[in-house]
Amino acid sequence: MDQPEDFQSGAEFRAATARELLQRALENLSQEHLKRFRHKLRDAPQDGRSIPWGRLQGADALNLVEELIQFYGPEPALDVTRKTLKRADIRDVAEQLKEDRLKRLGPSSSSLLSVSEYKKKYREHVLQQHAKVKERNARSVKINKRFTKLLIAREGAASVDGALGPADERETQRARRSDTHTFNRLFGRDGEGQRPLTVLLQGPAGIGKTMAAKKILYDWAAGKLYHGQVDFAFFLPCRELLERPGTCSLAGLILDQCPGRSAPVRLLLARAERLLFILDGADELPPPAPADAAPCTDPFEEAEGARVLSGLMGKTLLPGARLLVTARATAPGRLQSRLCSPQCAEVCGFSDKDKKKYFHKFFREEWLAEQAYRSVKENETLFALCFVPFVCWIVCTVLRQQLDLGQDLSRTSKTTTSVYLFFVASFLSSAPAADGPQVQGELRKLCRLAREGLLGHRAQFAEKDLERLQLRGSKIQRLFLSKKELPGVLETEVTYQFMDQSFQEFFAALSYLLDDKGDRAPADSVGALLRGNAELHGHLALTTRFLFGLLNTERMRDVERHFGCVVSERVKQDVLRWVQDQGHQRAAPEGTQETEAPEGREELEEDEDELNYVLELLYCLYETQEGAFVSQALRGLPELALERVCLSRMDVVVLSYCIRCCPEGQALRLVSCGLAPAHEKKKKKNLMKRLHGSLGGSSSRATMKKTQASPLRSLFEAMTDQHCGLSSLTLCRCKLSDSVCRDLSEALRAAPALTELGLLQNGLSEAGLRVLSEGLAWPQCRVRKLRVQQPTLQEALHYLIGALSQSSALTSLDLSDCQLPEPVVTYLCRVLQQSGCRLQTLR
């Protein structure tokens, strides 16, 4: 343990003095008093803990001193001894010990309070410190008023084995609203009765992970969470700790959060199972290098912040403590491998009902809130984006300005990038015309600051950084940077950071357009950014997505108009070339098997990152909202494969757009994909409604179920677009519901380019197979090659075989792994002899 010499000498002096006082007090006791003292020490545990009787029985005065110091620590042992002497009615010795301690060590400080006494004081401190949170505009509001409930789904609630069917068919898979009950369930027992010690809370940028973590801390302090399980909870912002100069210890980090930096730290750490550490933003931790030092195991060891955090996450440091870890869901496999048996949960954002509640919280006037909400809801895409709380805040902020001016945001914003750009542009437009050039210049410097920080893994900036770029005290600094004052050794340290991390990432992306110079250093170019983020995950993922979004031709014109500069097309061409090169480098070898899953944890993590790459690239392309660009980019990716992915509603929107724009010859393969929960659990109908439903008869219920759209309808509709070049679709182990089969059947009748269809082990029902066969038999269906693996429902295959005599396009049929019963084989032979059958190849 590396501690300052003066600290060590002071601590050693106090420990030696405490030992001397204990020896003097206990050595003066008679044998009768010593016996009584031992029994009282056993019968009155301190904070629920007491020295085992086997170590007390028969111990003399010197042995008792050693046991007391070893178990409680030197100075806390003095308090325990004095209280035990009073309970044993040896009051004269207790008073003498109190006087001697006062003379030699001074009055007992709050750090020497017992854990039970300190617990109340610390909870009150947390309530006071976290009662208010700062809005993005630096306005402080009460956390209970600011916090809007989010949807949170525990792992297993969004199983990739779930059917690709309507979300309301799978009640057990739904996300739950983030109330006290849901927060308590995060550390609830699993199916085997075990409680997790680590919970990983994941979600995209701006979804509300930090706010949820702070609300958990606040509710714990208010006595609403983990009652009787957690005595102390500590909030550790990972990014700040990683950027903190010098070394730190876990004990020191705990003291930093305690009033007056005083707490019975040793007693707290001795009961690690009663501690909760909230690690916010753990995805910021750099990957461990092979040459890294051994993991941190001592809470008093001074080490780099990354080592301390890694020790907590890997359970080499306080293995019994509880951890709540928040992280962006960029590369979940890599982070989960650093955690010890984590229970994973996903923050799914606002439900539609919660979006409306947020609008009413933001706009105080009822009529204004309704007007703003309706204007956004008319734009389906923009309304969908508002599931992210931070995007919702930006939309509301700009709407408040635009509604005052009689303008409408919903007509101009379809992507996250456009929402952010509109937000920044609205502030530029509000500046006086005379200040325009100066504000534009300051904004370009802010973008440069954002890029420098991002590439250097920095989120906090010193005053000298702002002075270097002449930003200190500027209007742009006041708008987009928040000031933070930290107590330093000699004076208060002032730092600045962007109002939200996502704004730093947006401005960093914008810098590549505003500062596109041919003489830029190679390490500072767009190519360097993309090469550094080749896997499309990590701290550059959102910046890359923003960069794609800014390449839209219309948005590039907006940038030129609002920021007073010329944007070169060269950046766009560089990005397009990179995407196409990536596709060639990742081309899958022929003969890849859909049915084999990788074995081994490392292979799974690598495979998850690869699959995450495909979906993230689609998000990047979606941000461009430029069909020609998407079509050109996808020429380098002839097959899009999504495996073991829980598709959210936004994922389906993104996938549908890219398929609508895809070039001729494009292939799409979905393997073991399911739908992530997107809706909260519906309330039970009251008795009258249920009676009315039952009186309506089974036919009305059947009609409702029949007309219900599947969550993949937008994807299948995209396949029917006349510009869609999708020629091959494979669905493997996706458990297709009847509604999905119906919508796919409709698409088969009109898809202009689809010539190959694979349906492999999808658990089709007889009704689903029948409706798909109807689509394949449709005269306009262009499917020539059909592959089916359906081990069950052998008798129902006659529907599929019947389509052979009606299809004018189907020439190849593969029924591998389909065990055909004799009547079906007889029917197949009869159909093959019919003149209308065009089949040339049968497997």
Side-chain angles (χ1 to χ4, degrees), residues 319-368:
R322 298 177 187 228
L323 298 182
L324 176 65
V325 181
T326 74
R328 289 186 180 182
T330 50
R334 299 197 174 195
L335 183 60
Q336 288 180 33
S337 66
R338 303 181 68 171
L339 298 170
C340 188
S341 303
Q343 165 68 56
C344 299
E346 183 180 0
V347 182
C348 304
F350 286 153
S351 66
D352 290 351
K353 185 196 297 184
D354 291 325
K355 292 175 192 174
K356 188 170 185 177
K357 283 186 177 181
Y358 186 91
F359 272 74
H360 280 265
K361 281 187 177 183
F362 190 93
F363 297 95
R364 305 289 175 84
E365 302 87 347
E366 182 79 16
W367 67 271
L368 192 58

Short mmCIF file of all heavy atoms in Angstrom, two decimals, residues 319-368:
data_model
loop_
_atom_site.label_atom_id
_atom_site.label_comp_id
_atom_site.label_asym_id
_atom_site.label_seq_id
_atom_site.Cartn_x
_atom_site.Cartn_y
_atom_site.Cartn_z
N PRO A 319 -14.94 -8.86 -3.66
CA PRO A 319 -15.74 -9.80 -4.46
C PRO A 319 -17.18 -9.94 -3.99
O PRO A 319 -18.05 -10.33 -4.78
CB PRO A 319 -14.98 -11.12 -4.32
CG PRO A 319 -14.11 -10.97 -3.12
CD PRO A 319 -13.77 -9.52 -3.05
N GLY A 320 -17.46 -9.62 -2.73
CA GLY A 320 -18.83 -9.77 -2.23
C GLY A 320 -19.72 -8.57 -2.47
O GLY A 320 -20.92 -8.63 -2.21
N ALA A 321 -19.15 -7.46 -2.96
CA ALA A 321 -19.94 -6.24 -3.14
C ALA A 321 -20.86 -6.35 -4.35
O ALA A 321 -20.59 -7.09 -5.29
CB ALA A 321 -19.02 -5.04 -3.28
N ARG A 322 -21.95 -5.59 -4.33
CA ARG A 322 -22.86 -5.53 -5.48
C ARG A 322 -22.40 -4.44 -6.43
O ARG A 322 -21.95 -3.37 -6.00
CB ARG A 322 -24.29 -5.23 -5.03
CG ARG A 322 -24.87 -6.30 -4.12
CD ARG A 322 -26.25 -5.89 -3.67
NE ARG A 322 -26.75 -6.83 -2.67
CZ ARG A 322 -27.95 -7.37 -2.70
NH1 ARG A 322 -28.78 -7.09 -3.67
NH2 ARG A 322 -28.32 -8.22 -1.76
N LEU A 323 -22.57 -4.69 -7.72
CA LEU A 323 -22.21 -3.72 -8.75
C LEU A 323 -23.41 -3.47 -9.66
O LEU A 323 -24.07 -4.42 -10.10
CB LEU A 323 -21.06 -4.23 -9.62
CG LEU A 323 -19.70 -4.49 -8.97
CD1 LEU A 323 -18.71 -4.94 -10.04
CD2 LEU A 323 -19.18 -3.26 -8.25
N LEU A 324 -23.69 -2.20 -9.92
CA LEU A 324 -24.62 -1.82 -10.97
C LEU A 324 -23.80 -1.06 -12.01
O LEU A 324 -23.28 0.02 -11.72
CB LEU A 324 -25.75 -0.95 -10.42
CG LEU A 324 -26.73 -0.42 -11.47
CD1 LEU A 324 -27.51 -1.57 -12.10
CD2 LEU A 324 -27.69 0.59 -10.87
N VAL A 325 -23.65 -1.63 -13.19
CA VAL A 325 -22.77 -1.08 -14.21
C VAL A 325 -23.62 -0.59 -15.37
O VAL A 325 -24.47 -1.32 -15.89
CB VAL A 325 -21.78 -2.16 -14.73
CG1 VAL A 325 -20.85 -1.60 -15.78
CG2 VAL A 325 -20.99 -2.74 -13.56
N THR A 326 -23.43 0.68 -15.78
CA THR A 326 -24.13 1.19 -16.96
C THR A 326 -23.13 1.30 -18.10
O THR A 326 -21.96 1.62 -17.89
CB THR A 326 -24.78 2.55 -16.71
OG1 THR A 326 -23.77 3.58 -16.67
CG2 THR A 326 -25.55 2.56 -15.40
N ALA A 327 -23.59 1.04 -19.31
CA ALA A 327 -22.71 1.08 -20.47
C ALA A 327 -23.54 1.21 -21.74
O ALA A 327 -24.68 0.76 -21.79
CB ALA A 327 -21.83 -0.17 -20.55
N ARG A 328 -22.94 1.82 -22.73
CA ARG A 328 -23.56 1.83 -24.06
C ARG A 328 -23.49 0.42 -24.64
O ARG A 328 -22.50 -0.28 -24.45
CB ARG A 328 -22.84 2.79 -25.00
CG ARG A 328 -23.06 4.25 -24.67
CD ARG A 328 -22.43 5.12 -25.73
NE ARG A 328 -22.62 6.54 -25.44
CZ ARG A 328 -22.19 7.51 -26.24
NH1 ARG A 328 -21.54 7.21 -27.35
NH2 ARG A 328 -22.39 8.77 -25.93
N ALA A 329 -24.51 0.05 -25.37
CA ALA A 329 -24.57 -1.30 -25.95
C ALA A 329 -23.88 -1.31 -27.31
O ALA A 329 -24.48 -1.62 -28.32
CB ALA A 329 -26.02 -1.75 -26.09
N THR A 330 -22.59 -0.94 -27.32
CA THR A 330 -21.86 -0.91 -28.58
C THR A 330 -21.20 -2.25 -28.88
O THR A 330 -21.27 -2.75 -29.99
CB THR A 330 -20.78 0.20 -28.53
OG1 THR A 330 -20.03 0.06 -27.32
CG2 THR A 330 -21.43 1.57 -28.57
N ALA A 331 -20.53 -2.82 -27.90
CA ALA A 331 -19.91 -4.14 -28.07
C ALA A 331 -20.10 -4.91 -26.77
O ALA A 331 -19.19 -5.07 -25.98
CB ALA A 331 -18.43 -4.01 -28.39
N PRO A 332 -21.34 -5.38 -26.53
CA PRO A 332 -21.66 -5.99 -25.23
C PRO A 332 -20.78 -7.18 -24.87
O PRO A 332 -20.46 -7.40 -23.72
CB PRO A 332 -23.13 -6.40 -25.38
CG PRO A 332 -23.37 -6.44 -26.86
CD PRO A 332 -22.46 -5.43 -27.46
N GLY A 333 -20.36 -7.96 -25.87
CA GLY A 333 -19.55 -9.14 -25.59
C GLY A 333 -18.25 -8.80 -24.90
O GLY A 333 -17.81 -9.48 -23.97
N ARG A 334 -17.61 -7.71 -25.33
CA ARG A 334 -16.30 -7.33 -24.77
C ARG A 334 -16.43 -6.87 -23.32
O ARG A 334 -15.58 -7.18 -22.51
CB ARG A 334 -15.68 -6.23 -25.63
CG ARG A 334 -15.44 -6.68 -27.05
CD ARG A 334 -14.49 -5.79 -27.78
NE ARG A 334 -14.18 -6.34 -29.08
CZ ARG A 334 -13.16 -5.94 -29.83
NH1 ARG A 334 -12.36 -5.01 -29.40
NH2 ARG A 334 -12.95 -6.48 -31.01
N LEU A 335 -17.50 -6.14 -23.02
CA LEU A 335 -17.66 -5.65 -21.65
C LEU A 335 -18.09 -6.79 -20.73
O LEU A 335 -17.58 -6.91 -19.62
CB LEU A 335 -18.69 -4.52 -21.61
CG LEU A 335 -18.90 -3.88 -20.24
CD1 LEU A 335 -17.62 -3.27 -19.72
CD2 LEU A 335 -20.00 -2.83 -20.31
N GLN A 336 -19.00 -7.63 -21.19
CA GLN A 336 -19.48 -8.72 -20.34
C GLN A 336 -18.36 -9.68 -19.97
O GLN A 336 -18.37 -10.28 -18.90
CB GLN A 336 -20.60 -9.47 -21.06
CG GLN A 336 -21.90 -8.69 -21.15
CD GLN A 336 -22.99 -9.45 -21.85
OE1 GLN A 336 -23.06 -10.66 -21.77
NE2 GLN A 336 -23.84 -8.74 -22.58
N SER A 337 -17.35 -9.82 -20.85
CA SER A 337 -16.24 -10.72 -20.54
C SER A 337 -15.40 -10.20 -19.38
O SER A 337 -14.65 -10.96 -18.77
CB SER A 337 -15.36 -10.91 -21.78
OG SER A 337 -14.72 -9.69 -22.14
N ARG A 338 -15.51 -8.90 -19.05
CA ARG A 338 -14.75 -8.32 -17.94
C ARG A 338 -15.54 -8.36 -16.64
O ARG A 338 -15.01 -8.01 -15.59
CB ARG A 338 -14.35 -6.88 -18.28
CG ARG A 338 -13.55 -6.76 -19.56
CD ARG A 338 -13.16 -5.33 -19.85
NE ARG A 338 -12.19 -4.82 -18.90
CZ ARG A 338 -11.56 -3.66 -19.04
NH1 ARG A 338 -11.80 -2.91 -20.10
NH2 ARG A 338 -10.69 -3.25 -18.15
N LEU A 339 -16.81 -8.74 -16.73
CA LEU A 339 -17.65 -8.80 -15.54
C LEU A 339 -17.81 -10.24 -15.10
O LEU A 339 -17.68 -11.17 -15.89
CB LEU A 339 -19.03 -8.19 -15.84
CG LEU A 339 -19.04 -6.71 -16.22
CD1 LEU A 339 -20.42 -6.29 -16.71
CD2 LEU A 339 -18.62 -5.84 -15.04
N CYS A 340 -18.14 -10.41 -13.83
CA CYS A 340 -18.27 -11.76 -13.26
C CYS A 340 -19.75 -12.13 -13.18
O CYS A 340 -20.49 -11.59 -12.35
CB CYS A 340 -17.63 -11.78 -11.87
SG CYS A 340 -17.53 -13.41 -11.15
N SER A 341 -20.20 -13.01 -14.08
CA SER A 341 -21.58 -13.52 -14.12
C SER A 341 -22.61 -12.40 -14.00
O SER A 341 -23.41 -12.36 -13.06
CB SER A 341 -21.80 -14.53 -12.98
OG SER A 341 -20.88 -15.59 -13.06
N PRO A 342 -22.60 -11.46 -14.95
CA PRO A 342 -23.54 -10.34 -14.84
C PRO A 342 -24.97 -10.72 -15.22
O PRO A 342 -25.19 -11.56 -16.07
CB PRO A 342 -22.98 -9.33 -15.84
CG PRO A 342 -22.33 -10.17 -16.90
CD PRO A 342 -21.77 -11.37 -16.17
N GLN A 343 -25.92 -10.10 -14.53
CA GLN A 343 -27.33 -10.13 -14.95
C GLN A 343 -27.52 -8.92 -15.85
O GLN A 343 -27.31 -7.78 -15.42
CB GLN A 343 -28.25 -10.05 -13.73
CG GLN A 343 -29.70 -9.71 -14.05
CD GLN A 343 -30.40 -10.82 -14.81
OE1 GLN A 343 -30.45 -11.95 -14.36
NE2 GLN A 343 -30.93 -10.50 -15.97
N CYS A 344 -27.86 -9.13 -17.11
CA CYS A 344 -27.94 -8.03 -18.07
C CYS A 344 -29.36 -7.51 -18.17
O CYS A 344 -30.33 -8.27 -18.09
CB CYS A 344 -27.45 -8.48 -19.44
SG CYS A 344 -25.72 -9.01 -19.44
N ALA A 345 -29.48 -6.22 -18.34
CA ALA A 345 -30.77 -5.57 -18.56
C ALA A 345 -30.57 -4.47 -19.59
O ALA A 345 -29.48 -3.90 -19.69
CB ALA A 345 -31.33 -5.00 -17.26
N GLU A 346 -31.61 -4.18 -20.34
CA GLU A 346 -31.51 -3.16 -21.39
C GLU A 346 -32.48 -2.03 -21.12
O GLU A 346 -33.65 -2.26 -20.80
CB GLU A 346 -31.83 -3.77 -22.76
CG GLU A 346 -31.68 -2.77 -23.90
CD GLU A 346 -31.98 -3.37 -25.26
OE1 GLU A 346 -32.31 -4.57 -25.32
OE2 GLU A 346 -31.91 -2.63 -26.25
N VAL A 347 -31.98 -0.80 -21.20
CA VAL A 347 -32.84 0.38 -21.10
C VAL A 347 -33.43 0.62 -22.48
O VAL A 347 -32.71 0.92 -23.43
CB VAL A 347 -32.06 1.61 -20.62
CG1 VAL A 347 -32.99 2.80 -20.46
CG2 VAL A 347 -31.36 1.32 -19.30
N CYS A 348 -34.74 0.44 -22.60
CA CYS A 348 -35.40 0.53 -23.91
C CYS A 348 -35.97 1.91 -24.20
O CYS A 348 -36.54 2.13 -25.26
CB CYS A 348 -36.52 -0.50 -23.99
SG CYS A 348 -35.98 -2.20 -23.67
N GLY A 349 -35.84 2.85 -23.25
CA GLY A 349 -36.29 4.21 -23.51
C GLY A 349 -37.75 4.42 -23.16
O GLY A 349 -38.35 3.69 -22.36
N PHE A 350 -38.34 5.45 -23.77
CA PHE A 350 -39.72 5.82 -23.48
C PHE A 350 -40.70 4.95 -24.26
O PHE A 350 -40.49 4.65 -25.44
CB PHE A 350 -39.98 7.28 -23.89
CG PHE A 350 -39.36 8.31 -22.98
CD1 PHE A 350 -39.02 9.56 -23.46
CD2 PHE A 350 -39.13 8.03 -21.65
CE1 PHE A 350 -38.45 10.52 -22.64
CE2 PHE A 350 -38.57 8.98 -20.81
CZ PHE A 350 -38.23 10.23 -21.31
N SER A 351 -41.77 4.57 -23.61
CA SER A 351 -42.92 4.03 -24.34
C SER A 351 -43.67 5.21 -24.94
O SER A 351 -43.39 6.38 -24.64
CB SER A 351 -43.84 3.26 -23.39
OG SER A 351 -44.43 4.16 -22.46
N ASP A 352 -44.64 4.94 -25.81
CA ASP A 352 -45.41 6.04 -26.42
C ASP A 352 -46.13 6.86 -25.35
O ASP A 352 -46.20 8.09 -25.43
CB ASP A 352 -46.43 5.47 -27.42
CG ASP A 352 -45.75 4.92 -28.67
OD1 ASP A 352 -44.52 5.13 -28.82
OD2 ASP A 352 -46.43 4.29 -29.49
N LYS A 353 -46.62 6.16 -24.32
CA LYS A 353 -47.30 6.87 -23.24
C LYS A 353 -46.32 7.79 -22.49
O LYS A 353 -46.66 8.92 -22.13
CB LYS A 353 -47.91 5.86 -22.27
CG LYS A 353 -48.75 6.50 -21.15
CD LYS A 353 -49.01 5.53 -20.02
CE LYS A 353 -49.82 4.34 -20.48
NZ LYS A 353 -50.16 3.45 -19.33
N ASP A 354 -45.09 7.30 -22.28
CA ASP A 354 -44.11 8.10 -21.54
C ASP A 354 -43.61 9.28 -22.36
O ASP A 354 -43.23 10.31 -21.80
CB ASP A 354 -42.93 7.22 -21.12
CG ASP A 354 -43.33 6.20 -20.07
OD1 ASP A 354 -44.18 6.53 -19.23
OD2 ASP A 354 -42.79 5.07 -20.09
N LYS A 355 -43.58 9.13 -23.69
CA LYS A 355 -43.23 10.28 -24.54
C LYS A 355 -44.21 11.42 -24.29
O LYS A 355 -43.81 12.58 -24.15
CB LYS A 355 -43.26 9.88 -26.02
CG LYS A 355 -42.18 8.91 -26.45
CD LYS A 355 -42.40 8.50 -27.90
CE LYS A 355 -41.54 7.32 -28.28
NZ LYS A 355 -41.82 6.81 -29.64
N LYS A 356 -45.47 11.07 -24.27
CA LYS A 356 -46.49 12.10 -24.05
C LYS A 356 -46.32 12.74 -22.67
O LYS A 356 -46.44 13.97 -22.52
CB LYS A 356 -47.88 11.48 -24.19
CG LYS A 356 -49.01 12.51 -24.17
CD LYS A 356 -50.33 11.88 -24.56
CE LYS A 356 -51.41 12.96 -24.65
NZ LYS A 356 -52.71 12.39 -25.11
N LYS A 357 -46.03 11.91 -21.66
CA LYS A 357 -45.81 12.46 -20.32
C LYS A 357 -44.63 13.43 -20.31
O LYS A 357 -44.66 14.46 -19.64
CB LYS A 357 -45.56 11.32 -19.32
CG LYS A 357 -46.81 10.57 -18.91
CD LYS A 357 -46.50 9.56 -17.82
CE LYS A 357 -47.76 8.86 -17.34
NZ LYS A 357 -47.50 7.89 -16.26
N TYR A 358 -43.57 13.06 -21.06
CA TYR A 358 -42.39 13.92 -21.09
C TYR A 358 -42.74 15.27 -21.71
O TYR A 358 -42.31 16.32 -21.22
CB TYR A 358 -41.27 13.26 -21.89
CG TYR A 358 -39.96 14.02 -21.85
CD1 TYR A 358 -39.02 13.76 -20.86
CD2 TYR A 358 -39.68 15.03 -22.75
CE1 TYR A 358 -37.83 14.46 -20.79
CE2 TYR A 358 -38.50 15.75 -22.70
CZ TYR A 358 -37.58 15.46 -21.72
OH TYR A 358 -36.41 16.17 -21.65
N PHE A 359 -43.50 15.27 -22.80
CA PHE A 359 -43.89 16.53 -23.44
C PHE A 359 -44.67 17.41 -22.46
O PHE A 359 -44.48 18.62 -22.42
CB PHE A 359 -44.74 16.24 -24.69
CG PHE A 359 -43.93 16.05 -25.94
CD1 PHE A 359 -43.20 14.90 -26.14
CD2 PHE A 359 -43.88 17.04 -26.91
CE1 PHE A 359 -42.44 14.71 -27.29
CE2 PHE A 359 -43.12 16.86 -28.06
CZ PHE A 359 -42.40 15.71 -28.26
N HIS A 360 -45.54 16.78 -21.68
CA HIS A 360 -46.34 17.57 -20.74
C HIS A 360 -45.49 18.07 -19.57
O HIS A 360 -45.82 19.10 -18.98
CB HIS A 360 -47.52 16.73 -20.23
CG HIS A 360 -48.66 16.68 -21.20
ND1 HIS A 360 -49.74 17.52 -21.14
CD2 HIS A 360 -48.85 15.89 -22.30
CE1 HIS A 360 -50.57 17.25 -22.13
NE2 HIS A 360 -50.06 16.27 -22.85
N LYS A 361 -44.42 17.36 -19.23
CA LYS A 361 -43.51 17.86 -18.19
C LYS A 361 -42.68 19.03 -18.73
O LYS A 361 -42.36 19.97 -17.99
CB LYS A 361 -42.57 16.75 -17.72
CG LYS A 361 -43.19 15.77 -16.74
CD LYS A 361 -42.15 14.80 -16.20
CE LYS A 361 -42.73 13.88 -15.16
NZ LYS A 361 -41.72 12.98 -14.56
N PHE A 362 -42.29 18.93 -20.01
CA PHE A 362 -41.43 19.96 -20.59
C PHE A 362 -42.20 21.25 -20.84
O PHE A 362 -41.75 22.34 -20.50
CB PHE A 362 -40.84 19.44 -21.90
CG PHE A 362 -39.76 20.31 -22.48
CD1 PHE A 362 -38.43 20.08 -22.17
CD2 PHE A 362 -40.08 21.37 -23.32
CE1 PHE A 362 -37.44 20.89 -22.69
CE2 PHE A 362 -39.09 22.19 -23.84
CZ PHE A 362 -37.77 21.95 -23.53
N PHE A 363 -43.37 21.13 -21.47
CA PHE A 363 -44.21 22.31 -21.74
C PHE A 363 -45.21 22.44 -20.60
O PHE A 363 -46.07 21.59 -20.42
CB PHE A 363 -44.95 22.15 -23.07
CG PHE A 363 -44.05 22.06 -24.27
CD1 PHE A 363 -43.69 20.82 -24.78
CD2 PHE A 363 -43.56 23.19 -24.88
CE1 PHE A 363 -42.86 20.72 -25.89
CE2 PHE A 363 -42.74 23.11 -26.00
CZ PHE A 363 -42.38 21.87 -26.49
N ARG A 364 -45.09 23.50 -19.85
CA ARG A 364 -45.94 23.65 -18.67
C ARG A 364 -47.42 23.81 -19.07
O ARG A 364 -48.30 23.27 -18.41
CB ARG A 364 -45.50 24.88 -17.86
CG ARG A 364 -44.03 24.86 -17.46
CD ARG A 364 -43.77 23.81 -16.41
NE ARG A 364 -42.36 23.69 -16.10
CZ ARG A 364 -41.71 24.46 -15.23
NH1 ARG A 364 -42.35 25.43 -14.59
NH2 ARG A 364 -40.42 24.27 -15.00
N GLU A 365 -47.68 24.56 -20.17
CA GLU A 365 -49.05 24.80 -20.58
C GLU A 365 -49.62 23.59 -21.29
O GLU A 365 -49.00 23.04 -22.18
CB GLU A 365 -49.14 26.03 -21.50
CG GLU A 365 -48.61 27.31 -20.88
CD GLU A 365 -47.12 27.49 -21.09
OE1 GLU A 365 -46.47 26.50 -21.48
OE2 GLU A 365 -46.62 28.60 -20.85
N GLU A 366 -50.82 23.19 -20.90
CA GLU A 366 -51.46 22.00 -21.46
C GLU A 366 -51.63 22.11 -22.97
O GLU A 366 -51.32 21.18 -23.72
CB GLU A 366 -52.81 21.79 -20.76
CG GLU A 366 -53.57 20.55 -21.22
CD GLU A 366 -53.05 19.28 -20.57
OE1 GLU A 366 -52.32 19.39 -19.57
OE2 GLU A 366 -53.38 18.19 -21.08
N TRP A 367 -52.12 23.25 -23.43
CA TRP A 367 -52.42 23.40 -24.86
C TRP A 367 -51.15 23.36 -25.69
O TRP A 367 -51.11 22.81 -26.81
CB TRP A 367 -53.18 24.70 -25.12
CG TRP A 367 -52.35 25.95 -24.85
CD1 TRP A 367 -52.23 26.61 -23.67
CD2 TRP A 367 -51.55 26.64 -25.79
NE1 TRP A 367 -51.39 27.68 -23.78
CE2 TRP A 367 -50.95 27.73 -25.10
CE3 TRP A 367 -51.25 26.47 -27.14
CZ2 TRP A 367 -50.09 28.63 -25.71
CZ3 TRP A 367 -50.39 27.37 -27.76
CH2 TRP A 367 -49.82 28.43 -27.04
N LEU A 368 -50.06 23.95 -25.14
CA LEU A 368 -48.80 23.97 -25.87
C LEU A 368 -48.20 22.57 -25.94
O LEU A 368 -47.65 22.16 -26.98
CB LEU A 368 -47.82 24.93 -25.18
CG LEU A 368 -46.55 25.31 -25.95
CD1 LEU A 368 -46.91 25.95 -27.27
CD2 LEU A 368 -45.69 26.25 -25.12
#
